[in-house]
Amino acid sequence: MKILWIFTVTFIIGCLGSIYPGPVKLSIVQVVMQKNLRVGLWAAIGASLPEILGSALAIYSFRWLQQVPDVLIWFQWSVIPILLIIGFLTLQKKSTPDVEKQESASPANRSAFTKAMVLNLCNPQLVPFWLVTTVWFNSKPGLSLDSFGHELFFILGATGGSFAMNYLYAKLTSVNRERILDKIQPQTIRLLTGWGFILLGVWQAVQAFA
């Protein structure tokens, strides 16, 4: 019963922690708008996998991360050039619908999967978020991670919750895709997406300097 309770609470926290429309969600929305829901599903899977690493590090490396704060600073800085590069590449990409139709499914899936995974891996809030969550869990007798089974279901809940929210973004985008395309030109979507990544990179730099 405790294992199921740990999974359920972690799943909910994973959903709520993934609701913020940051770089990962922006990449998922972009691929659904440019491709389809199937490619968006692969992006959602790729974006969710780093939660395994983040939640595992939170469980096993809490003391080490406290003693080596430079690791967290490195995460904070590493995301800045990635966001800027993705933004500039998005602005320079000038694909047409005909070209996209001729593109095979596998490269599109791999590209969306890899892009979303890298973005979340470089998310400076990933490890700190699950560190705080782990501390809170261990402060509650009914949620404390006292065994390998507890830890495993904590990780599964974190990953599952993140995937559920990522897929929800993809699904909502897919449902409203035609409506959005009727009002906004693909070129405009590309420009908004590219500048969105650049602004997120600038904002991350401002936070790093602050």
Side-chain angles (χ1 to χ4, degrees), residues 56-68:
L57 281 174
I59 294 171
Y60 295 110
S61 307
F62 177 65
R63 291 182 181 178
W64 180 75
L65 285 172
Q66 280 186 316
Q67 297 171 359
V68 191

Side-chain angles (χ1 to χ4, degrees), residues 10-11 13-20 24-25 44-59 116-123 125-131 133-134 151-166:
T10 314
F11 185 93
I13 292 175
C15 281
L16 296 177
S18 301
I19 200 170
Y20 174 70
V24 174
K25 302 301 180 296
I45 295 172
S48 305
L49 291 182
E51 304 295 334
I52 298 175
L53 177 63
S55 55
L57 281 174
I59 294 171
M117 183 171 63
V118 170
L119 282 172
N120 204 16
L121 277 173
C122 295
N123 178 7
Q125 282 81 42
L126 178 63
V127 176
F129 175 81
W130 288 115
L131 280 172
T133 304
T134 302
E151 295 170 352
L152 177 61
F153 275 78
F154 179 88
I155 295 172
L156 290 175
T159 307
S162 173
F163 171 76
M165 184 55 65
N166 290 332

